[in-house]
């Protein structure tokens, strides 16, 4: 499936699963993405560009819950992410990245930007979910997690570049989990439950008092 077709499918599934209230075309253009990449000296993979230019997320709740699989033991768990809305205006990309980079600049001993400049934040929950653009093949790239607090000693490579804990081998897998719900059928079989929007909302209400 081509990138644009997959993204179209992913958003459609998000809408069908009630997380997205309506499908509103994105305002972001390829030219704006190119200008952003040039300004910040980064390069987005093709799948993420398709994601940015397809639909807005403005009608989705700030937080989204999905089922994720641990790569080591294959356990499926419920996880919530504050998913960043980057598709309303190109200025959202700049604000998102600047906010993320300010965290490093505020350290008592700031980390050189060369060490983290290829990390792009797409969500937050007790830390940042980022695209690791250093490992992009031009089509897609891994999604990594950086725990809040800077406890990242094991996530630097031999050149001192920061990567983070790998959550998925690519952005497509994260969309399959959270937008398409690809793990829901297996979770239902293992736990003898019905997984739907109401199931997730009940889980949120049980685990987050202020929701």
């Amino acid at each position: 499936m081509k990138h644009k077709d997959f993204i179209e499918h992913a958003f459609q599934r998000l809408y069908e699963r009630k997380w997205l209230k309506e499908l509103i075309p994105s305002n972001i253009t390829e030219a704006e993405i190119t200008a952003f990449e040039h300004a910040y000296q980064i390069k987005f993979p093709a799948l993420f560009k398709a994601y940015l230019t397809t639909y807005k997320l403005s009608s989705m709740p700030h937080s989204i819950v999905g089922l994720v699989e641990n790569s080591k033991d294959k356990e499926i768990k419920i996880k919530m992410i504050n998913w960043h809305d980057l598709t309303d205006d190109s200025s959202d990309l700049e604000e998102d990245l600047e906010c993320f980079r300010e965290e490093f600049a505020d350290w008592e001993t700031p980390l050189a930007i060369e060490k983290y400049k290829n990390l792009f934040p797409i969500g937050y929950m007790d830390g940042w979910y980022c695209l690791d653009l250093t490992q992009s093949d031009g089509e897609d790239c891994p999604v990594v997690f950086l725990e809040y607090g800077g406890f990242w000693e094991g996530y630097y490579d031999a050149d001192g570049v920061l990567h983070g804990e790998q959550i998925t081998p690519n952005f497509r897998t994260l969309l399959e989990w959270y937008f398409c719900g690809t793990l829901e059928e297996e979770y239902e079989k293992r736990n003898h439950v019905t997984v739907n929007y109401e199931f997730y909302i009940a889980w949120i209400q049980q685990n987050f008092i202020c929701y």
Side-chain angles (χ1 to χ4, degrees), residues 35-49:
F36 176 83
E37 291 175 318
H38 180 74
Y40 286 91
Q41 293 297 292
I42 59 176
K43 187 71 175 175
F44 289 141
L47 182 72
F48 190 65
K49 290 180 182 181

Side-chain angles (χ1 to χ4, degrees), residues 3 44-51 136 138-140:
H3 294 323
F44 289 141
L47 182 72
F48 190 65
K49 290 180 182 181
Y51 164 80
S136 171
E139 300 300 320
D140 205 347

Side-chain angles (χ1 to χ4, degrees), residues 27-189:
N27 289 331
I28 297 179
T29 66
E30 289 278 359
E32 288 173 327
I33 293 173
T34 299
F36 176 83
E37 291 175 318
H38 180 74
Y40 286 91
Q41 293 297 292
I42 59 176
K43 187 71 175 175
F44 289 141
L47 182 72
F48 190 65
K49 290 180 182 181
Y51 164 80
L52 291 176
T53 56
T54 302
Y55 291 111
K56 295 182 180 181
L57 287 173
S58 52
S59 69
M60 185 179 80
H62 183 58
S63 299
I64 182 172
V65 184
L67 295 170
V68 304
E69 185 177 66
N70 186 304
S71 61
K72 296 179 181 178
D73 58 16
K74 302 301 180 183
E75 182 181 2
I76 299 176
K77 295 182 178 180
I78 306 172
K79 291 280 188 179
M80 183 163 75
I81 294 181
N82 293 335
W83 199 283
H84 293 178
D85 181 5
L86 304 170
T87 56
D88 189 53
D89 187 88
S90 60
S91 63
D92 294 333
L93 296 171
E94 182 176 344
E95 181 180 348
D96 190 56
L97 187 56
E98 289 289 350
C99 214
F100 173 66
R101 289 183 174 182
E102 281 176 11
E103 294 287 339
F104 294 93
D106 289 342
W107 285 12
E108 184 174 342
T109 305
L111 188 66
I113 192 171
E114 290 77 14
K115 306 298 184 183
Y116 61 84
K117 72 174 184 177
N118 279 309
L119 292 173
F120 185 83
I122 57 172
Y124 187 92
M125 183 54 67
D126 299 325
W128 294 270
Y129 288 82
C130 299
L131 299 179
D132 187 351
L133 302 176
T134 59
Q135 300 187 66
S136 171
D137 61 5
E139 300 300 320
D140 205 347
C141 68
V143 175
V144 299
F145 178 73
L146 292 170
E147 182 182 0
Y148 178 78
F151 308 109
W152 308 328
E153 289 78 6
Y155 300 123
Y156 294 92
D157 64 19
D159 296 319
V161 175
L162 180 62
H163 294 284
E165 176 190 0
Q166 183 170 300
I167 300 300
T168 61
N170 48 57
F171 182 55
R172 182 182 182 121
T173 299
L174 196 73
L175 292 177
E176 288 174 342
W177 288 352
Y178 280 94
F179 281 34
C180 302
T182 53
L183 294 174
E184 290 177 351
E185 184 176 350
E186 181 60 30
Y187 186 88
E188 288 178 333
K189 290 178 181 178

